Each structure stands twice: as structure tokens, then as C-alpha cells.
């Protein structure tokens, strides 16, 4: 029987949300287990608000690199202190979702007896129990994660990703929307023209054109007398401004004004969210909102809304011969000018919106 379990996932918002059913299932099977979670600073609020997670450890790779360049001695002292914090929890089992070897090495070093994970590119040398994978392909990432549970002898009963939004955040969201002039009697549709920031400079390859988002937003307002909120983070303010400027209606803009849980709370107030493939899409799903997603280079069967349900979630994609071109965590150079996204018409996205609204 496991007493203390640590999950490790250093990736972006979508990836860590995919791991939330793992926590739900462990707690369903072992209600008294102590759950720790190691993640980056951007995703930490998801687990700090999760009542099933007892302790969150923040590991920010860039901060450690910076500290190493500033002072190697201070970096070593701080890192030893960080490891001793983990050591104090006496984890007897860890689930390492990092696909690397560094985290499992430190888990071994800290004396965690059972270390489960994926043996990707033979990097699972420090794992005690591992599943060989070439990458995530053919089935959803959540299914891969649930396979690890089965491997541990736990049959999953929960499969939906989940974000916990407390009453305080819900009230804040309502107040915030009132200040922004949102009419409670009209349908509220959220549009996220950005997203997918974990791809860095290559992020545009995952985004539907802002002109089409603007046309779609106008069409929704004209046909449903709905209110459209354009969401984005601080870096996406110019993108949100440009999209709003292209519209003939007046949308509401909320960009760079919220933290992650405030954003989740605002998304939860929408009747529908339209988003590119990326973290905001999965945050909407985890908040229990209907979604329409736009998928280009990435395989929707692996990274789409989960579990698939056409009554709640729609995926819009162009079936052209070269997609999906993001495979085994690598992106092929695009020779077709983003045809997979550029080729998606406003009308077909609107039809999905109409069906769900």
C-alpha cells in the first residue's frame, strides 16, 4: 500500500491537466495517501488549489540555470535545500511523467523505492518500473497516463481532467465580468486567439488566423446576440487588440489582467469557449465548459479535448495529407503555408458553435 506518492510533470498547462485524472484515481483507491506534485511555476496554481494534492514543489529550470551562472555555490546550497524538502516527505512511490532521466535520477538519489514512468528513448534507466514508448501517438496522452496506473495495479474510474475553482474565485470572476460590462442575460462566448505558449517562438504555427477569429466573433454576436470575451495573457495583449480592431462589433477584452485560477474562473462563466490547441483549451475542458477547438499540426486524437464528446466538445481540422506533422515531440518544417489551419473556414467553425450553443 502506498503511503506517500510524488508526481513529476515539468511541462505546460495542458500536460499537467492531463495528469489530474491520475491524482483522482490514486485518491479514489487510497483515500489517505499523501500526494506531492512537482511542476513549474506557471502550472503550480492548478495543484495548490487541488484539495487532493497535499504539497506542491516548484521546479523552474531557467531559475536554476540563472542561479548557477550567478553563484555556483549558492545554487548547490539551494538545490540541496530543495531536495531535502522533498526528502522530508518520505515518498515511497513516484510517477515521473517527465520522459527524461534527470528527475528519476534524483528520485533514486532521494531513496524513493518505486519509480514509475515511461522509457522514452531509453531514458528510463533510473525508473524501477517503466513502459516503453516512442512518443505519444495513436491515443490520447491521458490514456497513456492511465496505462501507468493500470501498470501499478490501479484500474481507473475517473478519466476527466479537473481544475478546482473555489467559491471565492467564482465570485471574483462574476464581479470582474460585471465591471467589464457583461450582461448576465446574454450568452457569453470566450475566444482565445493565442495559447500554446510552451512552443516558444514557433507558437504561430498552432494558431488560426486572427482575421478569421474576428469574423467568427462578429458572426456570433450578430446571430446570437451574444457577448464575446477575447482572452489572452500579458504577451498576447497585442494579438487580442488586433483581433478586436478587426471587428465591427465591440467585444470585451481580458488580456494580461488575471492569474491562472482567475482565468479558469472566468472561462467557467462562459457558455462556450473557442480556442486553438493549447493550455487555455484544456483549462476550459477541466473547468467543465463546452469547447470548439482548432487543430493544425498537432494530432487531436493525442492532444484533443478528453474524453471525446461531440455534445460538449468539437474539433475543427483540415484533413490534408501532411497533418498531423507534429510527431514524437518533433515538428516537421511546414511546406504548405499552414494550410491545415489557414484552410479552416469561418463558416465551418460557426456551424460547430451553433450546434453547441
Amino acid at each position: 500500500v502506498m503511503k506517500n506518492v510524488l508526481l513529476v510533470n515539468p511541462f505546460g498547462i495542458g500536460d499537467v491537466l492531463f495528469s489530474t485524472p491520475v491524482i483522482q484515481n490514486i485518491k479514489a483507491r487510497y483515500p489517505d495517501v499523501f500526494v506531492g506534485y512537482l511542476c513549474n511555476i506557471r502550472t503550480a496554481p492548478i495543484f495548490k488549489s487541488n484539495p487532493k494534492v497535499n504539497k506542491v514543489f516548484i521546479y523552474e529550470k531557467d531559475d536554476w540555470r540563472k542561479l548557477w551562472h550567478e553563484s555556483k555555490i549558492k545554487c548547490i546550497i539551494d538545490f540541496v535545500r530543495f531536495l531535502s524538502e522533498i526528502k522530508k516527505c518520505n515518498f515511497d512511490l513516484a510517477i515521473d511523467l517527465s520522459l527524461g532521466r534527470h528527475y528519476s535520477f534524483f528520485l533514486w538519489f532521494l531513496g524513493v523505492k518505486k519509480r514509475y514512468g515511461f522509457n522514452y528513448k531509453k531514458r528510463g534507466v533510473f525508473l524501477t518500473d517503466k513502459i516503453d514508448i516512442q512518443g505519444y501517438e495513436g491515443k490520447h496522452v491521458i490514456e497513456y497516463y492511465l496505462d501507468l496506473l493500470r501498470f501499478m495495479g490501479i484500474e481507473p474510474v475517473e478519466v476527466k481532467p479537473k481544475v478546482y475553482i473555489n467559491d471565492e474565485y467564482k465570485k471574483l470572476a462574476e464581479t470582474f465580468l460585471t465591471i467589464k460590462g457583461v450582461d448576465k442575460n446574454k450568452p457569453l462566448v470566450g475566444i482565445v486567439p493565442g495559447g500554446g505558449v510552451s512552443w516558444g517562438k514557433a507558437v504561430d504555427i498552432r494558431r488560426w488566423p486572427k482575421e478569421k477569429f474576428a469574423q467568427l466573433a462578429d458572426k456570433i454576436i450578430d446571430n446570437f446576440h451574444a457577448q464575446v470575451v477575447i482572452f489572452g495573457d500579458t504577451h498576447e495583449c497585442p494579438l487580442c487588440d488586433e483581433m478586436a480592431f478587426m471587428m465591427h462589433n465591440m467585444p470585451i477584452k481580458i488580456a494580461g489582467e488575471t492569474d491562472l485560477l482567475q482565468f479558469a474562473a472566468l472561462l467557467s462563466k462562459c457558455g462556450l469557449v473557442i480556442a486553438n490547441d493549447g493550455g487555455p483549451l484544456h483549462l476550459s475542458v477541466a473547468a467543465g465548459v463546452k469547447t470548439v477547438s482548432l487543430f493544425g499540426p498537432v494530432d487531436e486524437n493525442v492532444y484533443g479535448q478528453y474524453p471525446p464528446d461531440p455534445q460538449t466538445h468539437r474539433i475543427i481540422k483540415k484533413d490534408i495529407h501532411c497533418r498531423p506533422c507534429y510527431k514524437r515531440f518533433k515538428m516537421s518544417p511546414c511546406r504548405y503555408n499552414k494550410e491545415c489551419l489557414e484552410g479552416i473556414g469561418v463558416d465551418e467553425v460557426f456551424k460547430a458553435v451553433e450546434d453547441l450553443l
Side-chain angles (χ1 to χ4, degrees):
V1 175
M2 67 175 92
K3 290 188 183 133
N4 301 333
V5 61
L6 176 69
L7 281 85
V8 176
N9 193 328
F11 301 120
I13 291 163
D15 282 288
V16 300
L17 285 167
F18 293 158
S19 73
T20 55
V22 174
I23 300 166
Q24 305 285 115
N25 284 296
I26 287 171
K27 288 296 266 190
R29 176 74 177 271
Y30 303 107
D32 298 327
V33 74
F34 178 94
V35 176
Y37 205 108
L38 190 150
C39 58
N40 67 43
I41 198 159
R42 273 178 55 238
T43 61
I46 292 167
F47 302 105
K48 286 185 173 170
S49 74
N50 188 327
K52 296 181 191 299
V53 176
N54 302 87
K55 194 160 176 62
V56 179
F57 302 94
I58 295 170
Y59 181 86
E60 198 58 43
K61 198 165 57 180
D62 293 344
D63 287 356
W64 288 111
R65 276 203 189 117
K66 192 175 162 209
L67 189 58
W68 178 256
H69 290 302
E70 284 169 11
S71 165
K72 290 178 174 51
I73 290 166
K74 187 171 182 345
C75 183
I76 291 163
I77 291 166
D78 281 8
F79 195 66
V80 168
R81 196 178 290 139
F82 175 71
L83 290 178
S84 66
E85 280 297 305
I86 299 172
K87 177 87 173 160
K88 273 182 210 161
C89 294
N90 293 317
F91 291 110
D92 47 13
L93 187 146
I95 300 169
D96 180 4
L97 304 173
S98 71
L99 306 175
R101 57 175 77 85
H102 309 98
Y103 295 93
S104 52
F105 166 74
F106 286 112
L107 294 169
W108 164 80
F109 177 74
L110 291 170
V112 180
K113 286 194 174 62
K114 281 285 203 184
R115 303 178 296 278
Y116 285 85
F118 297 113
N119 190 28
Y120 168 66
K121 287 190 171 176
K122 305 263 188 294
R123 291 175 187 170
V125 282
F126 296 103
L127 296 169
T128 56
D129 302 82
K130 52 204 160 196
I131 296 174
D132 289 332
I133 64 165
Q134 304 294 314
Y136 297 135
E137 49 196 2
K139 63 180 180 185
H140 203 279
V141 178
I142 289 178
E143 290 176 30
Y144 276 94
Y145 290 174
L146 297 179
D147 280 349
L148 268 182
L149 283 182
R150 293 185 187 101
F151 190 47
M152 292 163 57
I154 299 172
E155 192 50 47
V157 288
E158 298 261 6
V159 298
K160 288 184 178 179
K162 192 153 177 53
V163 61
Y164 288 86
I165 304 159
N166 65 27
D167 291 341
E168 187 192 343
Y169 271 103
K170 284 178 186 164
K171 282 199 191 93
L172 274 172
E174 279 176 20
T175 308
F176 194 69
L177 291 172
T178 305
I179 292 165
K180 288 281 180 183
V182 168
D183 182 347
K184 280 184 183 173
N185 301 312
K186 289 183 179 177
L188 188 63
V189 176
I191 292 184
V192 191
V197 292
S198 58
W199 277 36
K201 291 192 175 105
V203 71
D204 276 352
I205 199 106
R206 289 169 84 176
R207 293 175 174 176
W208 198 44
K210 54 184 179 261
E211 306 80 37
K212 293 192 174 185
F213 269 124
Q215 289 165 31
L216 176 69
D218 275 331
K219 204 163 179 180
I220 290 167
I221 294 167
D222 293 343
N223 284 272
F224 295 110
H225 303 291
Q227 292 172 107
V228 165
V229 181
I230 305 172
F231 289 111
D233 71 11
T234 313
H235 310 296
E236 292 162 352
C237 286
L239 172 68
C240 297
D241 288 342
E242 285 160 22
M243 182 193 148
F245 185 70
M246 292 169 177
M247 291 172 61
H248 62 250
N249 288 296
M250 276 288 288
I252 294 150
K253 271 183 312 184
I254 301 175
E257 298 175 62
T258 62
D259 64 27
L260 189 62
L261 285 180
Q262 287 165 346
F263 181 36
L266 287 166
L267 290 170
S268 76
K269 297 291 172 195
C270 296
L272 176 73
V273 171
I274 305 153
N276 296 306
D277 142 49
L281 170 68
H282 301 296
L283 201 57
S284 305
V285 174
V289 182
K290 290 181 178 183
T291 64
V292 173
S293 64
L294 297 129
F295 270 77
V298 172
D299 188 347
E300 68 285 355
N301 297 308
V302 180
Y303 294 98
Q305 301 99 305
Y306 193 90
D309 174 12
Q311 299 302 310
T312 317
H313 305 298
R314 294 291 173 91
I315 293 164
I316 313 292
K317 60 189 170 51
K318 264 280 169 273
D319 284 323
I320 54 174
H321 69 283
C322 58
R323 83 161 295 274
C325 59
Y326 176 71
K327 287 174 182 166
R328 300 189 178 182
F329 314 116
K330 283 198 170 63
M331 180 82 200
S332 308
C334 184
R335 298 184 189 91
Y336 300 96
N337 285 336
K338 267 174 64 179
E339 195 189 315
C340 58
L341 277 170
E342 300 275 352
I344 294 172
V346 172
D347 288 347
E348 57 187 308
V349 184
F350 180 76
K351 174 75 177 76
V353 170
E354 196 174 33
D355 290 349
L356 291 183
L357 276 183

